[in-house]
């Protein structure tokens, strides 16, 4: 028999939105010898639960856990609500919060009238409650429905656990499908992938439902899983038949013939999940996005050029006011941006992209005779990340937003409020760091804009492509349909600055400069075994010089390994924010968060105005004993925006003493330190290193193996994404 506890639930210490609970149970019975001392005493339990009611009795199956800080606990893997069987227990149950408006007096009347079988009689027929004088039909039906739903939910969740789902998974499934859960299960268990349960997880459970290897539902679900995985893993917008067939066969291993496989693909297409476009196989939403983007770009190209009589005159005036002299390409970019339906400005660091954006904003305001408020009504400055939008705001003195915030992301609905049915009426859009924008996000943006909007895309196509599918900036430039100005003269860092020179040489595949020494650049040779020590030594020196952490960032390609981000963050926390009795801290897994820690946001949280890649500092840590929420809290300061994290959100932040190069996109830092070693080999390619280097504004320190640096520059064999946007644009 499985190890169990029977006990009365006393109180909840913590409960997450997904149902993870830490609570207290009084142990009434157990078959576990090690818990005999807990009989008639309380024990802490942990696990995922649909609901737990104080003073209700439960049987809990699981295992003993000896927590290093909190002592002996019981980790619950399965649970079952025990119906009260005595008169007092039934009265207590009916008087609980589960039944609003009943109370102890009414509950007593019910049990007096119906006896200890009261619950069964209510479930059998709500009219049994009408035996009680003055009991209304409405009230009787309400109690019956609550009890029925309670029974059904509990039985459903127990059944899901019995066939192999975890309590957390069962809870998520039931919360999504409610009374339809068992119908969906019987019809097609693979539909549960819609609640973030992976195909692989469901496929491991199917045997208990006697679903055969060759079941059509299984095969189609596997094909769709493989297609989503390949699309988002590789960044392709479409897939080829051979690749889908091969990868699906590897997993299913049941020998499906090609003709049968084609039929399964046709069925998925009929279900509107995928699309076959001349043997290019798409996820349906990706196909729609690619087609829509192509169509909208063609429309934007056709918009007649705007004519401003005094454009050149005002451009000359701006040069005088800003004490700047634009070169011919910069002037071309400014004038093209102001007059074209759509234009592209591209170039590496220091070529003046931000300077041009500022000039365009100022000129647009002057030419259209707009107040600042009116300008903000007509123009939107956008970027894909919070850091990039903040930098854009600072450089232009005009409020910029993330694309998600502009489109008003609605977390609960999992959609944007600004869309094809509810458009934004901005007349002029500038999108910075456009290389980071994927096909889904750009499609959503275009749907939310009017047909006659003007758009300027700004970015560096030599940087890393978007995390999501597509390579928009490159495809749009390569189409030769959009007026594109490529900037090549270096300005940003001034005369004698070496960082943009190094970046330019890396872009061209020239490795001759990697060991150069300059005022703003150096490379420190050391072995892979010495990187941690060297990083720590450099940072200790900078700490002694009281270099602000806001001016310093360390970048690396990978999280795991001897020189990975995870282990280096632990080292650097000791350097920049060591343990102190005066600073509150809290453990989350193997991570210790401490007041004053530098942290990075990992996901978009538009409701809190904090986005993926934003960097902040822990201002407060409030323990559950003193916090208003009665839960542990971490308060992070993002440049004056204070965000409070409860335990369910602790996984949305990480230490940011060192961050990934991918996470640094869209950001710039005065000082960048970047270790490089062949330990990172699978991530070492030219675009990645170029992206890391171009994050540095004033000082760049590279350290590690020069051979790894050389390898990175020579390695251009990055995966080339499959997209059809370019050929659609040329149709």
């Amino acid at each position: 028999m499985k190890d169990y506890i029977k006990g009365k639930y006393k109180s909840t210490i913590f409960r997450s939105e997904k149902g993870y609970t830490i609570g207290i149970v009084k142990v009434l019975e157990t078959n576990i010898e090690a818990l005999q001392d807990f009989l008639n005493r309380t024990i802490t339990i942990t696990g995922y639960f649909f609901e737990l009611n104080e003073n209700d009795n439960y049987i809990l199956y699981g295992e003993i856990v000896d927590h290093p800080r909190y002592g002996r606990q019981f980790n619950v893997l399965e649970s079952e609500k025990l119906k009260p069987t005595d008169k007092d227990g039934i009265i207590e149950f009916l008087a609980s919060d589960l039944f609003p408006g009943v109370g102890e007096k009414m509950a007593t009347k019910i049990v007096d009238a119906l006896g200890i079988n009261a619950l069964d009689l209510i479930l059998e027929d709500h009219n049994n409650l009408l035996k009680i004088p003055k009991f209304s039909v409405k009230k009787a039906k309400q109690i019956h429905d609550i009890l029925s739903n309670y029974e059904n939910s509990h039985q459903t969740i127990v059944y899901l656990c019995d066939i192999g789902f975890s309590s957390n998974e069962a809870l998520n499934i039931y919360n999504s499908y409610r009374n339809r859960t068992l119908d969906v299960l019987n019809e097609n268990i693979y539909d549960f992938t819609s609640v973030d349960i992976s195909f692989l997880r469901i496929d491991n459970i199917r045997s208990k439902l006697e679903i055969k290897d060759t079941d059509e539902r299984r095969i189609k679900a596997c094909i769709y899983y493989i297609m989503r995985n390949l699309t988002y893993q590789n960044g392709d917008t479409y897939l080829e038949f051979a690749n889908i067939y091969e990868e699906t066969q590897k997993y299913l291993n049941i020998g499906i013939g090609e003709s049968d496989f084609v039929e399964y693909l046709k069925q998925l297409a009929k279900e509107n999940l995928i699309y076959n476009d001349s043997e290019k196989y798409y996820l349906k939403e990706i196909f729609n996005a690619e087609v829509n983007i192509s169509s909208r770009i063609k429309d934007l190209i056709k918009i007649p050029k705007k004519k401003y009589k005094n454009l050149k005159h005002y451009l000359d005036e701006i040069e005088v006011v800003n004490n700047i002299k634009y070169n011919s390409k910069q002037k071309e970019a400014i004038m093209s941006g102001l007059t074209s339906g759509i234009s592209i400005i591209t170039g590496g660091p220091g070529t003046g992209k931000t300077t041009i954006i500022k000039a365009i904003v100022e000129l647009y305001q002057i030419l259209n005779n707009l107040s600042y408020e009116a300008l903000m009504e007509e123009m939107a400055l956008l970027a894909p990340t919070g850091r990039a939008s903040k930098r854009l705001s600072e450089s232009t003195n005009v409020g910029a937003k993330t694309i998600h915030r502009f489109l008003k992301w609605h977390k609960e609905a999992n959609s944007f409020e600004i869309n094809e049915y509810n458009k934004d009426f901005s007349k002029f859009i500038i999108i910075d760091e456009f290389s980071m924008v994927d096909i889904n996000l750009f499609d959503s943006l275009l749907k939310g804009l009017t047909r006659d909007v003007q758009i300027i895309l700004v970015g560096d196509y030599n940087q890393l492509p978007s995390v999501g599918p597509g390579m928009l900036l490159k495809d749009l430039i390569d189409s030769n349909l959009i007026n594109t100005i490529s900037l090549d003269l270096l300005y940003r860092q001034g005369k004698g600055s070496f960082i943009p020179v190094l970046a330019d040489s890396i872009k061209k595949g020239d490795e001759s400069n990697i060991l150069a020494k300059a005022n703003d650049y150096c490379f420190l040779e050391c072995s892979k075994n010495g990187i941690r020590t060297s990083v720590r030594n450099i940072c200790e020196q900078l700490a002694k010089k009281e270099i602000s952490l806001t001016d310093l960032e360390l970048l690396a390609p990978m999280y795991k390994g001897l020189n990975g981000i995870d282990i280096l963050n632990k080292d650097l926390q000791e350097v920049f924010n060591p343990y102190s009795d005066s600073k509150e801290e809290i453990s989350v897994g193997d991570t210790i968060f401490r007041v004053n820690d530098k942290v990075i946001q990992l996901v978009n949280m538009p409701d809190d105005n904090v986005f993926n890649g934003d960097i902040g500092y822990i201002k407060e840590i409030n323990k559950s004993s003193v916090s208003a929420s009665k839960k542990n809290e971490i308060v992070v300061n993002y440049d004056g925006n204070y965000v409070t994290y409860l335990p369910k959100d602790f996984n949305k932040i990480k230490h940011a003493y060192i961050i990934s190069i991918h996470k640094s996109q869209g950001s710039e830092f005065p000082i960048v330190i970047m270790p490089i070693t062949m330990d990172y080999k699978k991530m070492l390619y030219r675009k990645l290193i170029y992206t890391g280097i171009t994050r540095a504004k004033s000082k760049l320190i590279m350290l590690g193996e020069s051979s790894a640096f050389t390898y990175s520059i020579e390695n251009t064999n990055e995966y080339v994404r499959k997209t059809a946007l370019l050929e659609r644009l040329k149709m």
Side-chain angles (χ1 to χ4, degrees):
M1 187 176 180
K2 294 183 286 190
D3 289 345
Y4 73 88
I5 289 173
K6 285 184 183 177
K8 180 170 289 195
Y9 189 69
K10 302 302 291 182
S11 63
T12 299
I13 298 171
F14 163 76
R15 181 173 173 85
S16 75
E17 286 182 355
K18 292 187 175 181
Y20 179 74
T21 303
I22 303 172
I24 303 294
V25 167
K26 183 178 180 181
V27 181
L28 303 176
E29 181 186 323
T30 180
N31 67 343
I32 307 170
E33 189 172 340
L35 293 183
Q36 294 302 314
D37 289 344
F38 282 85
L39 285 170
N40 294 313
R41 293 170 51 203
T42 60
I43 190 171
T44 300
I45 64 160
T46 61
Y48 288 89
F49 301 89
F50 175 64
E51 63 185 341
L52 287 167
N53 298 308
E54 291 185 12
N55 295 317
D56 280 353
N57 291 327
Y58 295 85
I59 182 166
L60 309 171
Y61 301 96
E63 57 192 10
I64 297 171
V65 175
D66 288 311
H67 195 281
R69 180 173 294 185
Y70 302 113
R72 181 152 290 185
Q73 300 179 342
F74 192 70
N75 182 35
V76 181
L77 304 175
E78 299 176 33
S79 63
E80 184 178 340
K81 170 77 168 57
L82 296 174
K83 281 185 187 177
T85 55
D86 61 281
K87 181 178 178 180
D88 290 342
I90 297 170
I91 291 171
E92 190 176 27
F93 176 66
L94 287 169
S96 70
D97 293 340
L98 185 64
F99 301 92
V102 174
E104 188 175 346
K105 189 175 178 181
M106 185 182 290
T108 304
K109 285 182 179 179
I110 293 171
V111 178
D112 285 343
L114 302 180
I116 61 172
N117 294 320
L119 299 179
D120 291 332
L121 290 168
I122 295 168
L123 280 169
E124 184 181 299
D125 187 351
H126 73 272
N127 287 313
N128 285 322
L129 284 166
L130 300 182
K131 295 174 183 178
I132 302 163
K134 298 181 180 179
F135 214 96
S136 72
V137 174
K138 184 179 179 182
K139 191 68 180 178
K141 196 169 186 318
Q142 181 191 36
I143 293 173
H144 169 272
D145 290 347
I146 292 172
L147 187 59
S148 180
N149 288 335
Y150 184 83
E151 286 283 299
N152 290 338
S153 66
H154 181 70
Q155 290 170 9
T156 299
I157 289 169
V158 168
Y159 179 68
L160 290 172
C161 290
D162 283 345
I163 65 173
F165 288 106
S166 70
S167 298
N168 184 31
E169 291 167 339
L171 189 63
N172 284 338
I173 292 168
Y174 187 81
N175 283 338
S176 296
Y177 292 101
R178 310 301 290 186
N179 294 335
R180 294 178 51 240
T181 300
L182 294 182
D183 291 335
V184 174
L185 176 70
N186 293 327
E187 188 175 329
N188 189 358
I189 188 176
Y190 293 99
D191 283 349
F192 290 162
T193 55
S194 65
V195 292
D196 289 331
I197 299 175
S198 74
F199 166 82
L200 298 178
R201 178 79 177 107
I202 294 171
D203 206 47
N204 286 332
I205 292 170
R206 69 181 167 89
S207 58
K208 294 193 178 179
L209 300 177
E210 298 182 353
I211 296 174
K212 296 179 180 178
D213 288 355
T214 55
D215 191 292
E216 168 183 304
R217 296 169 299 178
R218 177 179 182 250
I219 294 170
K220 288 197 297 184
C222 185
I223 294 170
Y224 187 66
Y225 161 76
I226 294 292
M227 288 186 66
R228 288 200 71 83
N229 198 43
L230 290 174
T231 296
Y232 284 93
Q233 179 180 294
N234 298 330
D236 297 321
T237 62
Y238 72 85
L239 304 168
E240 294 170 339
F241 177 88
N243 197 15
I244 306 168
Y245 184 64
E246 181 185 341
E247 291 299 318
T248 306
Q249 290 280 65
K250 277 182 191 176
Y251 181 81
L252 291 175
N253 198 27
I254 57 173
I256 305 172
E258 287 194 15
S259 58
D260 290 334
F261 197 84
V262 169
E263 288 304 312
Y264 287 124
L265 289 171
K266 286 179 179 177
Q267 288 180 41
L268 287 168
K270 283 181 182 177
E271 293 167 19
N272 224 26
L273 294 172
I274 71 171
Y275 191 89
N276 178 9
D277 184 45
S278 304
E279 302 308 304
K280 294 182 178 73
Y281 291 89
Y282 290 81
L283 300 176
K284 186 61 185 294
E285 69 269 21
I286 301 289
F287 173 77
N288 290 341
E290 194 172 86
V291 170
N292 180 55
I293 289 170
S294 172
S295 174
R296 288 298 309 276
I297 293 294
K298 290 175 181 177
D299 289 344
L300 288 164
I301 293 166
K302 294 174 185 174
I303 293 176
K305 283 187 175 289
K306 289 208 171 181
K307 296 179 180 179
Y308 292 105
K309 286 183 182 179
N310 300 316
L311 177 54
K312 190 177 181 310
H313 166 73
Y314 285 120
L315 181 56
D316 292 340
E317 281 196 356
I318 284 211
E319 282 187 310
V320 175
V321 171
N322 293 332
N323 192 26
I324 194 169
K325 188 68 179 175
Y326 303 113
N327 66 42
S328 59
K329 278 197 174 180
Q330 289 175 321
K331 285 183 177 180
E332 185 186 354
I334 293 166
M335 290 190 284
S336 173
L338 284 164
T339 57
S340 304
I342 184 169
S343 61
I344 296 173
I345 302 169
T346 185
T351 54
K353 297 189 298 294
T354 305
T355 301
I356 290 170
I357 293 173
K358 187 174 185 295
I360 289 171
V361 172
E362 290 175 352
L363 279 166
Y364 186 87
Q365 183 176 9
I366 293 169
L367 291 165
N368 293 281
N369 193 26
L370 301 172
S371 66
Y372 179 82
E373 291 73 20
L375 177 69
M376 292 295 89
E377 287 289 321
E378 289 197 12
M379 177 178 281
L381 271 59
L382 307 178
T385 69
R387 293 283 295 182
S389 67
K390 183 174 183 296
R391 184 164 53 84
L392 189 58
S393 292
E394 291 169 347
S395 58
T396 60
N397 297 316
V398 173
K401 298 177 180 177
T402 66
I403 299 173
H404 277 80
R405 190 162 180 81
F406 174 78
L407 294 175
K408 299 181 180 178
W409 173 253
H410 195 284
K411 183 171 64 175
E412 284 73 25
N414 194 34
S415 63
F416 294 110
E417 290 182 23
I418 300 298
N419 50 49
E420 60 264 53
Y421 309 109
N422 181 36
K423 294 183 181 288
D424 179 272
F425 291 95
S426 298
K427 296 180 179 180
F428 202 104
I429 303 288
I430 302 175
I431 310 170
D432 198 12
E433 297 290 351
F434 188 72
S435 64
M436 299 174 64
V437 178
D438 68 26
I439 191 167
N440 290 319
L441 188 56
F442 193 44
D443 176 49
S444 294
L445 178 62
L446 291 175
K447 284 177 178 173
L449 299 173
T450 58
R451 308 297 293 189
D452 58 349
V453 67
Q454 284 181 263
I455 298 177
I456 301 176
L457 309 176
V458 184
D460 181 359
Y461 71 86
N462 289 296
Q463 288 187 32
L464 294 168
S466 58
V467 174
M471 46 182 189
L472 287 173
L473 184 58
K474 187 175 187 306
D475 281 348
L476 294 175
I477 291 173
D478 289 349
S479 73
N480 293 318
L481 296 174
I482 301 171
N483 194 21
T484 301
I485 293 85
S486 297
L487 307 172
D488 47 22
L489 291 179
L490 303 175
Y491 287 92
R492 187 184 73 191
Q493 288 155 306
K495 219 170 185 180
S497 180
F498 191 75
I499 298 172
V501 176
L502 177 67
D504 192 58
S505 64
I506 289 172
K507 182 171 66 177
K508 296 172 180 174
D510 179 3
E511 58 198 59
S512 62
N513 287 319
I514 64 173
L515 297 180
K517 292 191 183 297
N519 291 331
D520 59 350
Y521 169 75
C522 66
F523 184 92
L524 306 175
E525 186 84 39
C526 67
S527 70
K528 64 181 180 181
N529 293 325
I531 283 179
R532 283 181 67 184
T533 302
S534 296
V535 165
R536 185 163 185 145
N537 289 340
I538 293 169
C539 289
E540 284 174 346
Q541 293 175 36
L542 292 172
K544 287 177 183 176
K545 293 179 180 178
E546 297 184 347
I547 299 293
S548 171
L549 277 174
T550 58
D551 292 335
L552 170 67
E553 191 55 76
L554 285 86
L555 307 177
M558 296 173 63
Y559 284 94
K560 304 301 180 185
L562 176 66
N563 298 303
I565 291 167
D566 290 341
I567 198 164
L568 287 172
N569 259 321
K570 292 181 187 296
D571 291 348
L572 296 173
Q573 184 188 36
E574 292 177 12
V575 173
F576 292 110
N577 192 31
Y579 170 81
S580 169
D581 286 337
S582 64
K583 288 184 287 194
E584 193 70 77
E585 62 180 46
I586 191 170
S587 295
V588 181
D590 63 350
T591 300
I592 295 173
F593 287 115
R594 187 174 294 143
V595 170
N596 296 334
D597 270 341
K598 185 178 185 179
V599 295
I600 186 169
Q601 175 73 13
L602 301 176
V603 297
N604 290 323
M605 291 169 52
D607 293 345
D608 294 300
N609 194 28
V610 60
F611 297 87
N612 184 4
D614 285 356
I615 292 174
Y617 296 85
I618 294 179
K619 180 69 175 176
E620 297 174 12
I621 291 178
N622 304 315
K623 297 294 181 67
S624 59
S625 58
V626 297
S627 72
S629 66
K630 302 301 179 186
K631 299 173 182 177
N632 291 331
E633 298 174 346
I634 298 175
V635 182
V636 181
N637 177 13
Y638 296 98
D639 296 319
N641 177 33
Y642 292 86
V643 179
T644 299
Y645 296 83
L646 299 178
K648 65 181 178 65
D649 297 317
F650 288 171
N651 63 344
K652 295 175 181 176
I653 54 173
K654 283 179 77 80
H655 284 134
Y657 300 103
I658 179 167
I659 63 175
S660 72
I661 296 173
H662 281 88
K663 286 290 184 186
S664 74
Q665 277 192 275
S667 301
E668 290 180 341
F669 310 96
I671 305 170
V672 168
I673 300 172
M674 191 158 68
I676 186 167
T677 166
M678 291 305 287
D679 281 353
Y680 306 143
K681 186 175 180 179
K682 67 179 183 181
M683 293 293 291
L684 294 181
Y685 54 95
R686 188 184 295 173
K687 272 192 179 179
L688 184 86
I689 299 303
Y690 172 85
T691 300
I693 285 169
T694 55
R695 300 308 90 202
K697 290 175 67 177
S698 306
K699 184 86 173 173
L700 173 66
I701 301 171
M702 305 268 305
L703 73 156
E705 300 167 305
S706 56
S707 58
F709 201 171
T710 301
Y711 174 85
S712 306
I713 297 170
E714 293 175 348
N715 183 17
T716 59
N717 296 324
E718 64 197 89
Y719 182 79
V720 179
R721 297 180 172 187
K722 298 184 190 72
T723 86
L725 179 61
L726 181 59
E727 62 185 81
R728 291 189 197 284
L729 288 166
K730 290 186 173 183
M731 287 180 180

